[in-house]
Amino acid sequence: MAPAMVANGDVSFANSVPALVGGRFAVYSELQRSRIDHALPLPRVLTGNFQVVDGPNSSAAGNPDEIAKLFPCLFGQPSSMVVPSDSEGLPSDQQLKVGVVLSGGQAPGGHNVICGIFDYLQARTKGSTVYGFKGGPAGIMKCKYVELTSDFVYPYRNQGGFDMICSGRDKIETPEQFKQAEETALKLDLDGLVVIGGDDSNTNACLLAENFRSKNMKTRVIGCPKTIDGDLKCKEVPASFGFDTACKVYAEMIGNVMVDARSTGKYYHFVRLMGRAASHITLECALQTHPNITLIGEEVAKIETEKMLIQMVETELEKRKAEGTYKGQFKGQSHFFGYEGRCGLPTNFDASYCYALGYAAGALLHSGKTGLISSVGNLAAPVEEWTVGGTALTALMDVERRHGKFKPVIKKAMVELEGAPFKKFASMREELALKNRYISPGPIQFVGPTANAVNHTLLLELGAQG
Amino acid sequence: MAPAMVANGDVSFANSVPALVGGRFAVYSELQRSRIDHALPLPRVLTGNFQVVDGPNSSAAGNPDEIAKLFPCLFGQPSSMVVPSDSEGLPSDQQLKVGVVLSGGQAPGGHNVICGIFDYLQARTKGSTVYGFKGGPAGIMKCKYVELTSDFVYPYRNQGGFDMICSGRDKIETPEQFKQAEETALKLDLDGLVVIGGDDSNTNACLLAENFRSKNMKTRVIGCPKTIDGDLKCKEVPASFGFDTACKVYAEMIGNVMVDARSTGKYYHFVRLMGRAASHITLECALQTHPNITLIGEEVAKIETEKMLIQMVETELEKRKAEGTYKGQFKGQSHFFGYEGRCGLPTNFDASYCYALGYAAGALLHSGKTGLISSVGNLAAPVEEWTVGGTALTALMDVERRHGKFKPVIKKAMVELEGAPFKKFASMREELALKNRYISPGPIQFVGPTANAVNHTLLLELGAQG
């Protein structure tokens, strides 16, 4: 029998983990502690000598003329690939000063992106400094930061949440705010800044990169694709981190509720999942668990809440009862799964993916790049074979007209009704509705046969599955 | 990368698992499938030759005179222990006909109790027959059953839910209902019946045992302690099954929400957990996760819902704002964790415990016992060292007066304010309220360092922990 957590949480914790974690004394469960030392594999290309090579000049996702006007310095710049090199590659005698910021809602794996950046700089640019801006972009504007050290970073390895430096939803938008960011960059003598965030945060990262470049400042900016919603993705950025873990947490809960439903036959369960406009989470969970009915917002106008849906069913069945066409009993149970998933312990996939994203961001900064989003590909293959590079953020952009002005945006990737994941779902839909084909994925495993499974959406999109 | 579940769920499923599962085609996730073949250790005493020895005559938990009147045949009978034997022990040439029924709400591990009974009879009384009564006690009264075979039982090994034969909340209470049960027992020529249920179901099991005995019928009845609520326990029955798994599922969710809270500082989370009168689940989850405030119903009148609690806090803070003594912002988020836990994949502990309970029930029936509840002890030790026996159900009983008549009841075990688990919690309470000592236990693991951890309540109650 393993000892229980309460007792040795207090006792042995101080021995293995620094007691002061981000200003808070953290008590770790046995599983959290065991995850700290989980070894993270790296894409092979990042383990030896490499160089960063440029591709062809890029354009924009839409309205290139407007994007060119909004990003006069950066528009058109090529995306980059990290490739093996015979010679020593990037200079190892550089000492970089790099800031990192978490922007927006939590997603499992954020801490590992930071660890990746930190480890890259430790390994390849010895003597470098990493600053963690606290509480999101506001930390940049107010120059609120903490210097990240080995000891400081260590307890957060492979851990969920964003509590190492916390996040925030402020944006750097107005001329005054850009000025504040410049002052911080100058004060800390920043060579680089890594912005870990969703579509909006990466758009802002690019505006910041453009602004620094236009002022001839040396500070370069690299983005990293974060969001459990899964709506920040494209060919070069096949997944945003956190999606894999969050979906698996929700799928565990849905699967359990399904087993419950099958055992009692007493309730009809209605589950709402966290998310904004895009329905990737819902589609992924449907593929993982096979509920009878799944509403995909991109296909049908989304119904407001699971409770309203229950009311609608009740109203309809009462009508049918009055007409004598329905005699059964309907009991609805509503669920909302949200906060439970976005701070879960990262899956092995998210842990490795985030670490690679951070490591790649370090390499891109090291090679002098700016205005790119860290891009790790070939994700259906073993980690060693993953590809690494940076995609020009301007290449992902289009414009939207707001208050009579063009604003750059990275368009949210919605569920494509012609894409492989939706088509797979649609092909099963009729059968799922009438028969109970429930699947219960169970809890996320870190060791054993399912520990390295990847979400269905990614596999289907990458065509790795029939 | 492991292949995704959707594709090979359909394809390879038919090879490893019978396609027709309890009348439903079940599609298993990779994890569910891997659990089917998880090897279950048995207490050492059940692996060799053993005999069942009687202890001293028993009494009742309260009002023994009334219990003696209600159970004239069974009152006073001794509890039994299974002990090693040099000789061959119980006769192996008996062929028994045994029925099994699931009674009341689901608890993780129920399937393994059935597997334990089945495997015992296969191993020790070759040629025996096991009938699964469908849909709870109503299945006994209506003689609705399925004959359990190796193929039928196989896919449910180590699986959550009660869907093998389903459960129900009907009770066998009236003279007509007892008559129906007799008819079924005679029709199927039952030597034994195992009732898997909570306190009420075990009381009914004992009434049924008394009734069969009073009619000179050969049908013996053995109970098994099931309830996630954890309120069916005593010295001889140190745990009811399902509690371990359910608490760990809830604790995973609570831990994730805590990490979320620590990362944003935006919301105050209020969590309500499934359960009836007793607060064992809440106490266990508090010990596992360390929330700031935990309300234990046995200590304070329980507040009705988490939503009402949020409203009360809002009202109080608005009052303080008007007075000028509070300037902060309060945003409450309510959660109810219930159905997600009671059908989870059983932990290794619940899987082994249930299997031992079922195996023990088989041994008790084999040795001619009736009116006992299967009792497995020494649970903080490795499975091999667990003790095995049967406790006289009448010894757990008291009476309650209902409608002017004495009714036998097994008293629900409430959280004892003088017990070790509550005292441990109480000793931390002040510190937890003011400091964030959140622990995030993470998802249940089946392999690796935390796979065999047991819940804190059990360890503290058994005194296995300081």
Side-chain angles (χ1 to χ4, degrees):
Chain A
M1 297 284 137
M5 288 172 286
V6 172
N8 71 355
D10 292 322
V11 176
S12 69
F13 172 75
N15 300 329
S16 61
V17 177
L20 202 66
V21 175
R24 294 183 187 85
F25 186 95
V27 179
Y28 277 55
S29 70
E30 222 181 311
L31 187 61
Q32 284 179 300
R33 221 174 311 139
S34 82
R35 290 299 290 166
I36 289 180
D37 294 319
H38 166 68
L40 291 165
L42 269 178
R44 194 178 299 121
V45 71
L46 289 172
T47 59
N49 288 333
F50 61 77
Q51 51 180 326
V52 179
V53 297
D54 288 344
N57 282 356
S58 66
S59 180
N63 292 297
D65 294 348
E66 298 301 330
I67 296 295
K69 279 184 226 162
L70 289 163
F71 297 93
C73 301
L74 295 180
F75 176 76
Q77 75 162 335
S79 297
S80 302
M81 284 299 288
V82 176
V83 297
S85 161
D86 288 339
S87 63
E88 225 196 89
L90 298 171
S92 63
D93 58 349
Q94 279 192 332
Q95 294 188 346
L96 299 176
K97 296 200 178 73
V98 172
V100 58
V101 67
L102 293 163
S103 182
Q106 294 96 295
H111 288 148
N112 273 28
V113 179
I114 300 176
C115 293
I117 299 165
F118 183 83
D119 288 359
Y120 177 90
L121 295 172
Q122 290 277 309
R124 304 272 182 157
T125 60
K126 219 170 170 58
S128 289
T129 310
V130 185
Y131 299 106
F133 287 107
K134 291 167 91 167
I140 300 175
M141 297 188 274
K142 297 180 194 158
C143 200
K144 266 185 77 180
Y145 64 91
V146 59
E147 188 181 329
L148 304 186
T149 61
S150 264
D151 279 357
F152 187 89
V153 165
Y154 176 69
Y156 296 100
R157 291 182 184 270
N158 302 309
Q159 304 297 314
F162 274 9
D163 45 321
M164 186 205 284
I165 53 175
C166 294
S167 182
R169 294 186 184 272
D170 305 273
K171 286 182 185 172
I172 300 172
E173 290 185 305
T174 66
E176 298 73 40
Q177 289 171 327
F178 276 110
K179 187 89 194 110
Q180 289 176 317
E182 287 167 30
E183 281 164 12
T184 293
L186 290 169
K187 186 177 165 198
L188 297 179
D189 190 29
L190 288 187
D191 297 289
L193 174 66
V194 181
V195 177
I196 302 167
D199 51 338
D200 279 354
S201 303
N202 274 282
T203 303
N204 281 326
C206 196
L207 286 166
L208 209 50
E210 174 73 23
N211 184 62
F212 288 148
R213 176 64 60 89
S214 72
K215 303 274 168 71
N216 280 319
M217 288 171 64
K218 67 169 179 175
T219 314
R220 304 180 290 278
V221 185
I222 299 293
C224 281
K226 172 227 66 145
T227 162
I228 62 163
D229 286 345
D231 58 3
L232 171 52
K233 64 177 161 189
C234 56
K235 190 163 65 66
E236 299 83 0
V237 182
S240 52
F241 75 78
F243 176 78
D244 188 74
T245 306
C247 287
K248 284 174 181 164
V249 172
Y250 300 144
E252 176 196 357
M253 296 300 110
I254 296 167
N256 286 3
V257 166
M258 282 171 158
V259 173
D260 202 89
R262 192 162 57 195
S263 299
T264 59
K266 194 170 165 189
Y267 296 113
Y268 288 77
H269 293 272
F270 290 74
V271 176
R272 182 165 56 97
L273 296 170
M274 187 172 253
R276 295 174 301 177
S279 304
H280 299 283
I281 289 178
T282 304
L283 179 57
E284 173 64 25
C285 289
L287 288 169
Q288 283 193 31
T289 63
H290 294 188
N292 296 105
I293 296 171
T294 305
L295 302 176
I296 301 293
E298 285 81 347
E299 200 193 15
V300 293
K302 207 181 251 159
I303 284 158
E304 207 177 319
T305 73
E306 71 287 8
K307 282 169 196 154
M308 189 194 283
L309 203 56
I310 290 178
Q311 273 182 358
M312 287 167 65
V313 174
E314 281 169 351
T315 307
E316 172 65 22
L317 291 181
E318 266 166 44
K319 203 187 95 197
R320 292 193 194 178
K321 258 193 186 164
E323 287 169 358
T325 57
Y326 175 71
K327 288 197 168 100
Q329 265 218 325
F330 173 81
K331 283 191 197 172
Q333 273 291 347
S334 67
H335 304 265
F336 170 60
F337 299 140
Y339 300 95
E340 301 88 336
R342 64 180 201 178
C343 276
L345 265 178
T347 56
N348 284 349
F349 172 78
D350 268 331
S352 297
Y353 180 47
C354 288
Y355 192 64
L357 285 172
Y359 221 84
L364 294 170
L365 285 175
H366 188 193
S367 69
K369 300 295 176 190
T370 190
L372 304 184
I373 184 167
S374 180
S375 307
V376 175
N378 197 25
L379 295 171
V383 176
E384 291 70 23
E385 296 166 31
W386 287 357
T387 59
V388 176
T391 305
L393 278 163
T394 46
L396 308 182
M397 286 190 196
D398 196 344
V399 286
E400 273 180 12
R401 197 182 267 277
R402 287 183 202 161
H403 309 296
K405 266 183 157 180
F406 281 122
K407 287 271 183 192
V409 290
I410 297 175
K411 227 177 151 188
K412 281 187 206 305
M414 306 302 280
V415 169
E416 285 188 34
L417 301 186
E418 292 305 313
F422 183 80
K423 278 174 131 174
K424 171 79 188 171
F425 161 70
S427 75
M428 302 187 293
R429 191 154 42 172
E430 251 179 87
E431 192 182 333
L432 300 187
L434 296 174
K435 295 169 185 171
N436 293 343
R437 294 273 190 263
Y438 306 151
I439 292 182
S440 180
I444 290 169
Q445 297 296 295
F446 297 111
V447 183
T450 66
N452 295 313
V454 174
N455 62 76
H456 299 190
T457 306
L458 183 66
L459 288 181
L460 285 163
E461 278 173 352
L462 296 180
Q465 200 188 10
Chain B
M1 298 281 138
M5 288 174 284
V6 171
N8 72 355
D10 293 321
V11 177
S12 71
F13 172 75
N15 300 328
S16 61
V17 178
L20 202 68
V21 174
R24 293 183 188 87
F25 187 94
V27 179
Y28 277 57
S29 71
E30 222 180 312
L31 187 61
Q32 285 179 300
R33 222 172 311 140
S34 82
R35 291 299 289 165
I36 289 180
D37 294 318
H38 167 71
L40 292 165
L42 270 178
R44 192 178 301 120
V45 71
L46 288 173
T47 59
N49 287 333
F50 60 78
Q51 53 182 322
V52 178
V53 298
D54 288 344
N57 282 354
S58 66
S59 179
N63 291 297
D65 295 347
E66 299 301 329
I67 296 296
K69 278 185 228 162
L70 289 162
F71 296 93
C73 301
L74 296 179
F75 176 77
Q77 73 164 335
S79 297
S80 302
M81 283 300 287
V82 177
V83 297
S85 161
D86 288 338
S87 61
E88 226 196 90
L90 298 173
S92 62
D93 57 349
Q94 277 192 335
Q95 294 189 344
L96 299 176
K97 295 201 179 71
V98 172
V100 57
V101 67
L102 293 163
S103 181
Q106 292 95 297
H111 288 149
N112 273 27
V113 179
I114 299 176
C115 293
I117 299 164
F118 184 83
D119 287 359
Y120 177 88
L121 295 173
Q122 289 277 309
R124 304 272 181 159
T125 59
K126 218 167 173 56
S128 289
T129 309
V130 185
Y131 300 106
F133 288 106
K134 290 168 91 168
I140 300 176
M141 296 187 275
K142 296 180 197 159
C143 199
K144 265 185 76 179
Y145 65 90
V146 59
E147 188 181 330
L148 304 185
T149 61
S150 265
D151 278 358
F152 188 90
V153 164
Y154 177 68
Y156 296 99
R157 290 183 183 271
N158 302 308
Q159 305 298 314
F162 273 8
D163 44 323
M164 187 203 284
I165 51 174
C166 294
S167 181
R169 293 186 185 274
D170 305 273
K171 286 181 183 171
I172 300 172
E173 290 185 306
T174 65
E176 296 74 38
Q177 290 170 328
F178 277 110
K179 185 88 193 109
Q180 289 175 318
E182 286 167 32
E183 280 163 13
T184 294
L186 290 171
K187 184 178 166 198
L188 295 180
D189 190 31
L190 288 186
D191 296 290
L193 173 67
V194 181
V195 177
I196 303 167
D199 50 338
D200 278 354
S201 304
N202 274 283
T203 303
N204 281 324
C206 197
L207 287 167
L208 209 50
E210 175 72 23
N211 184 61
F212 288 147
R213 176 64 61 90
S214 72
K215 303 273 168 70
N216 280 318
M217 286 172 64
K218 67 169 180 176
T219 314
R220 304 179 290 278
V221 186
I222 299 294
C224 280
K226 171 225 65 139
T227 162
I228 63 165
D229 286 346
D231 57 4
L232 170 54
K233 64 178 163 188
C234 57
K235 191 164 63 63
E236 298 84 359
V237 183
S240 52
F241 75 79
F243 177 78
D244 188 73
T245 305
C247 287
K248 283 174 180 163
V249 172
Y250 300 144
E252 176 196 357
M253 297 298 111
I254 296 166
N256 286 3
V257 167
M258 283 170 156
V259 173
D260 202 89
R262 191 162 60 194
S263 298
T264 59
K266 195 169 163 188
Y267 296 112
Y268 289 78
H269 293 271
F270 291 74
V271 177
R272 181 165 58 97
L273 296 171
M274 189 172 249
R276 295 174 302 177
S279 304
H280 299 284
I281 289 178
T282 304
L283 179 58
E284 172 64 25
C285 289
L287 289 168
Q288 283 192 31
T289 64
H290 294 187
N292 297 103
I293 296 170
T294 304
L295 302 176
I296 301 292
E298 285 81 345
E299 199 193 18
V300 295
K302 211 180 252 162
I303 283 159
E304 205 177 320
T305 73
E306 71 287 8
K307 282 168 196 158
M308 190 193 283
L309 202 55
I310 290 178
Q311 272 183 356
M312 288 168 66
V313 174
E314 280 170 351
T315 307
E316 172 64 23
L317 291 180
E318 265 166 44
K319 202 187 98 198
R320 291 193 194 177
K321 257 192 185 166
E323 287 169 358
T325 57
Y326 175 70
K327 286 199 170 96
Q329 266 218 321
F330 173 80
K331 283 190 199 173
Q333 273 292 347
S334 68
H335 305 265
F336 170 59
F337 299 140
Y339 300 94
E340 301 88 336
R342 66 180 197 176
C343 275
L345 264 177
T347 57
N348 284 349
F349 172 79
D350 268 330
S352 297
Y353 180 48
C354 287
Y355 192 64
L357 285 173
Y359 221 85
L364 294 171
L365 284 176
H366 189 190
S367 69
K369 299 296 177 189
T370 190
L372 304 183
I373 184 168
S374 180
S375 308
V376 175
N378 198 26
L379 294 171
V383 176
E384 291 70 25
E385 296 166 32
W386 287 358
T387 59
V388 176
T391 305
L393 277 163
T394 46
L396 309 181
M397 288 191 196
D398 197 345
V399 287
E400 272 181 13
R401 197 182 268 275
R402 288 183 201 160
H403 309 293
K405 264 184 155 177
F406 281 122
K407 288 271 182 192
V409 290
I410 297 175
K411 227 179 153 187
K412 281 187 204 306
M414 306 301 280
V415 168
E416 284 188 34
L417 301 184
E418 291 304 314
F422 183 81
K423 278 176 134 173
K424 171 77 187 171
F425 161 71
S427 73
M428 302 187 292
R429 190 153 45 172
E430 250 179 88
E431 192 183 331
L432 299 187
L434 296 173
K435 293 168 188 173
N436 293 342
R437 293 272 190 266
Y438 305 151
I439 292 182
S440 180
I444 289 168
Q445 297 295 295
F446 298 111
V447 182
T450 65
N452 294 313
V454 175
N455 62 77
H456 299 188
T457 306
L458 183 68
L459 289 180
L460 286 161
E461 278 174 352
L462 296 179
Q465 198 189 14

